[in-house]
Amino acid sequence: MVSHEEGGDGEVEPDSDLRNFGETVKAFRKRAGLTQEQLAEHVRYSVQYVGSVEQGRRHPSVKFVNRSEEALDAFGVIRIAAKQLQRRRGLASWFRRWAELEDVAVALNTYECRSIPGLLQTEAYGRAQIDNVPPLVTAGEAEARITARAERQKLLRRTPYIAFSFIIEQAVIERRTGGSEVTGEQIDHLLGCAKLPNVDIQIMPTIQPLHAGTDGPFRLLETEDNEWLAYSEGQQSGLVISGPKDISLLHQRYAKLRIQALNPADSAGLLMRMRGSL
């Protein structure tokens, strides 16, 4: 009996991660001396499904991954490849390079004026964001985004510690994305994260005549090789910045922002007052 795709994701435009996974399955299929038709029989999926996975046009279901692993005796490689694929699946294509850089960072500075940074979001806040921004996505894609965000958030507690600095506009919290209950939970989470030994959270007050961040949000990252890179994101686009002059300019701006924002202790006090006013 042939299985049906789980989650209703259907075919998508190929990307490098899906293509790599498909090539992995194809390589082990050929190693086993099987045709696509024969593999389809073993895993109880259609030939079209197998072909779409190998071409990088379909996200594989958990059942497909497990059955392929067993049918092809793949030494765990297919499961490992699928785990990596799932980890990246919920990330926008233009953000994936930066997510890879985050994973090898020793320091990460973030200024955000649009929403709570993903590394600090609660699940409820993240879901509210997904629901608010058109177009609506499938349940499977929403779960993929939440899962990817949760994976990234493990960086906050990974050792050796990454040094994190966040500067967040007060107005982002006052917007009450998701409603008062979601906002209250989000504030509590921010206060909890601020207690981590490697995390500084500063709030930029709504009234601040001197403000170095009016050109928009950005991030700065130091790699384990002590190279600094930056990231700027807009609507449906993102740019990793490596030019020394641009990096120097953004360092100057971030240094000013740190002075202009409330210090971590005063930021925590403001967050507690905001929590009490909900």
Side-chain angles (χ1 to χ4, degrees), residues 47-249:
V47 177
Q48 291 78 14
Y49 187 99
V50 173
S52 292
V53 170
E54 289 192 357
Q55 294 165 22
R57 301 192 66 85
R58 183 183 288 271
H59 290 281
S61 71
V62 174
K63 287 182 180 178
F64 177 87
V65 169
N66 290 334
R67 291 173 185 173
S68 297
E69 177 67 43
E70 293 169 7
L72 300 175
D73 191 21
F75 313 107
V77 173
I78 289 178
R79 285 196 179 101
I80 292 169
K83 187 176 181 181
Q84 182 65 21
L85 181 64
Q86 287 299 111
R87 187 177 293 127
R88 293 167 60 84
R89 179 181 167 191
L91 299 175
S93 58
W94 58 84
F95 185 75
R96 289 175 183 172
R97 175 59 181 149
W98 186 254
E100 291 174 354
L101 291 168
E102 283 183 336
D103 204 45
V104 294
V106 297
L108 182 63
N109 301 337
T110 300
Y111 166 63
E112 186 55 74
C113 58
R114 303 166 303 181
S115 62
I116 301 296
L119 288 169
L120 298 177
Q121 290 179 11
T122 63
E123 180 177 338
Y125 183 96
R127 289 188 184 280
Q129 269 204 315
I130 292 169
D131 291 341
N132 284 344
V133 181
L136 295 177
V137 299
T138 66
E141 179 58 30
E143 288 304 317
R145 292 185 189 182
I146 293 297
T147 299
R149 203 161 293 169
E151 284 292 326
R152 287 179 58 227
Q153 290 174 352
K154 292 178 181 179
L155 295 173
L156 293 172
R157 293 171 171 81
R158 192 180 71 186
T159 54
Y161 284 129
I162 300 170
F164 288 98
S165 168
F166 298 94
I167 300 173
I168 307 168
E169 292 287 338
Q170 179 179 347
V172 166
I173 303 165
E174 291 177 331
R175 187 176 300 132
R176 300 192 184 186
T177 297
S180 295
E181 184 175 345
V182 170
T183 301
E185 180 188 17
Q186 180 63 68
I187 291 175
D188 290 341
H189 184 65
L190 290 174
L191 289 167
C193 289
K195 292 179 181 178
L196 294 172
N198 57 318
V199 177
D200 286 332
I201 296 178
Q202 296 179 253
I203 304 299
M204 179 68 76
T206 301
I207 299 175
Q208 174 51 283
L210 303 175
H211 196 310
T214 51
D215 275 2
F218 64 95
R219 310 175 198 195
L220 286 161
L221 175 151
E222 183 182 8
T223 70
E224 52 194 355
D225 295 324
N226 305 117
E227 176 188 9
W228 280 93
L229 299 166
Y231 180 74
S232 178
E233 187 174 81
Q235 297 277 347
Q236 300 298 106
S237 65
L239 176 66
V240 175
I241 302 167
S242 59
K245 289 185 178 180
D246 293 326
I247 298 296
S248 174
L249 180 150

